[in-house]
Amino acid sequence: MESSCVVKIFSVRLDQTCPDLAGLNLRSSKFYVLFDLPGYKLEATRTPAILPTRKPGASTRQDLVLKFDYESSYDYSSRGKRQALDDMLSRYHADVNFTLMCLPDESQSEVNLGRAVVRLDNRIARKEDVQKESFPVLSYYKEQVGTIKLSTSIPSLLLAVCIETNPAADDHIKDSLSRRTQSTSKADSREMCTVCISSVQLEQSSRALQNPELDNTNSFVSFDLPGFDMDETETSLSLPTPRPGRTKAKDFHLRFNFQKRFDYSYDTNYNKRIQLATLLMASPVKLPFTLVCEAEDQDSEFFLDFGTAVVKLEDRVSDGKDIQDESFPLLNGDEVVGSITISTNLPSLLREICDEIPEGKKKSITFLKS
């Protein structure tokens, strides 16, 4: 019986250019991370407070690194603790929050800088723990203040508890958890568009990846949503572009773990909702995702659209079927250079908007099934 959970917090990298960090003397402050584990009080689930360190050789303001190197094991052998895990599985979403706290000095109260949310549902279904992955830390105002690198074995522990509760669960867990993550609340499906970009898998042997211009570049994903600027529709992480012959095979799998909600509320963002409705008149109705390579050197203007995945939406909108952890090919010209794994409730939101369009104009939406 799996009876413990390991949590490792390696580091946090702070972006000092973020407006939400203005006014804080970060280099002389102490920091710690709080995380919520079922059955444990917060004083038992926090790292020691540390001072920041500067990345060796760094010359830019952004390179402020918090090296926690924290590791702890949490016992879940008791009935009460395992019941707390079972309660976690019954939530709408199973997730763990990692909150970055700042202690400026003795004269100031501690500051909540932001949190990273680690979604667990799909990991439990895939029987996949978190292995030294980076997640964006977002402030209360949804600005990215940095990234946190961590590992945890809680998905496999939750899977073990799920099987204990229902011995037949091992045969059906992927389907049941997948159905749960697909079911967004009615209010969200009417007003919010959620886009999740899990990862990109690049083909090591692709011709496009041999391009020497890609040396010393980082990669991020950009996508198009009507009503939102380009800088709002891209992943918060930019990861090193793997290089054939020099990069380990596992590093051709870029884990972005990106999730963002876009407000298309009828009451507060009506103009954006109208812009989204125009997408239904396009032919074809599609949502493109582009892997963009940018130079590591901040003074360079080098950008390259390395590959694009086009997600066609007509049938999904007509059926009201959302996208849940599906992979789509990335194309560079006629070459498949990799794949991207995404989730989004955009089809059901567009279907909702279809029902708001006057009958006269709805006739121009030719793909709708009767």
Side-chain angles (χ1 to χ4, degrees):
M1 179 181 74
E2 192 138 6
S3 60
S4 65
C5 161
V6 175
V7 175
K8 299 179 182 179
I9 299 174
F10 300 98
S11 61
V12 171
R13 178 163 294 178
L14 284 176
D15 180 1
Q16 294 183 89
T17 63
C18 176
D20 286 0
L21 298 182
L24 294 174
N25 187 355
L26 298 177
R27 294 197 175 278
S28 62
S29 300
K30 287 189 174 182
F31 303 84
Y32 66 93
V33 176
L34 288 170
F35 48 98
D36 49 350
L37 284 182
Y40 282 90
K41 295 181 178 179
L42 283 177
E43 54 262 30
T45 57
R46 56 172 287 176
T47 68
I50 63 164
L51 287 165
T53 56
R54 191 173 179 82
K55 183 180 177 182
S59 59
T60 62
R61 292 176 55 206
Q62 291 97 321
D63 294 314
L64 188 65
V65 179
L66 312 175
K67 295 183 70 67
F68 288 98
D69 294 325
Y70 171 87
E71 179 175 351
S72 188
S73 179
Y74 294 87
D75 181 35
Y76 280 95
S77 58
S78 71
R79 179 177 297 179
K81 289 280 198 299
R82 295 187 90 74
Q83 181 59 51
L85 288 173
D86 192 43
D87 292 342
M88 183 182 189
L89 285 166
S90 67
R91 296 180 195 165
Y92 175 63
H93 279 299
D95 51 46
V96 177
N97 298 309
F98 291 81
T99 303
L100 181 63
M101 303 296 296
C102 175
L103 299 165
D105 56 47
E106 294 180 358
S107 64
Q108 293 178 278
S109 59
E110 62 184 14
V111 180
N112 181 331
L113 295 183
R115 66 173 182 167
V117 181
V118 180
R119 302 288 187 195
L120 301 177
D121 294 315
N122 290 322
R123 293 178 183 275
I124 300 167
R126 295 194 301 261
K127 305 179 182 179
E128 175 184 281
D129 286 335
V130 180
Q131 299 287 353
K132 208 167 186 180
E133 296 178 35
S134 294
F135 298 86
V137 180
L138 302 180
S139 72
Y140 177 81
Y141 298 103
K142 302 303 181 185
E143 292 282 345
Q144 184 183 353
V145 300
T147 57
I148 183 170
K149 183 177 289 187
L150 60 92
S151 298
T152 180
S153 62
I154 194 169
S156 57
L157 177 60
L158 284 166
L159 175 60
V161 170
C162 185
I163 294 171
E164 288 169 20
T165 307
N166 176 12
D170 197 26
D171 297 329
H172 307 289
I173 187 151
K174 187 166 185 177
D175 288 340
S176 61
L177 284 170
S178 178
R179 282 195 299 272
R180 186 171 80 178
T181 55
Q182 285 179 30
S183 57
T184 56
S185 71
K186 193 66 176 175
D188 275 1
S189 68
R190 288 176 175 173
E191 299 187 343
M192 307 291 292
C193 173
T194 300
V195 176
C196 304
I197 300 172
S198 301
S199 61
V200 168
Q201 178 67 56
L202 292 175
E203 294 289 344
Q204 299 183 46
S205 59
S206 70
R207 297 189 308 273
L209 206 53
Q210 310 298 322
N211 185 350
E213 290 185 317
L214 299 181
D215 291 346
N216 302 314
T217 63
N218 292 324
S219 298
F220 65 91
V221 177
S222 174
F223 52 98
D224 296 333
L225 273 183
F228 288 91
D229 295 334
M230 290 179 62
D231 60 352
E232 298 178 274
T233 56
E234 60 186 36
T235 57
S236 43
L237 283 179
S238 184
L239 302 174
T241 306
R243 308 305 296 127
R246 284 178 277 165
T247 302
K248 294 179 180 178
K250 66 180 182 66
D251 293 328
F252 283 81
H253 189 197
L254 307 179
R255 296 180 179 272
F256 289 99
N257 295 314
F258 170 87
Q259 176 172 309
K260 189 170 181 179
R261 284 153 53 99
F262 299 88
D263 187 2
Y264 285 103
S265 167
Y266 191 94
D267 294 328
T268 60
N269 272 316
Y270 181 72
N271 287 337
K272 286 183 178 178
R273 197 171 181 88
I274 292 296
Q275 291 180 65
L276 186 60
T278 63
L279 185 60
L280 293 165
M281 313 297 175
S283 181
V285 181
K286 60 185 180 181
L287 178 61
F289 291 82
T290 301
L291 185 70
V292 182
C293 300
E294 62 177 352
E296 291 179 353
D297 183 358
Q298 295 182 3
D299 294 328
S300 172
E301 296 182 356
F302 176 80
F303 281 89
L304 177 69
D305 289 350
F306 179 74
T308 299
V310 177
V311 181
K312 296 181 180 179
L313 299 175
E314 285 102 330
D315 288 344
R316 295 175 183 275
V317 174
S318 191
D319 296 334
K321 182 181 178 182
D322 287 333
I323 298 168
Q324 183 64 40
D325 255 2
E326 294 185 37
S327 294
F328 299 87
L330 277 171
L331 296 177
N332 184 311
D334 59 356
E335 182 187 21
V336 177
V337 295
S339 61
I340 184 170
T341 302
I342 64 163
S343 302
T344 181
N345 71 323
L346 182 59
S348 60
L349 176 58
L350 286 171
R351 180 72 215 195
E352 188 72 30
I353 291 175
C354 274
D355 295 337
E356 299 169 5
I357 296 175
E359 287 299 325
K361 292 186 177 180
K362 194 180 293 186
K363 293 178 181 178
S364 61
I365 307 176
T366 56
F367 65 84
L368 280 182
K369 297 176 182 177
S370 56

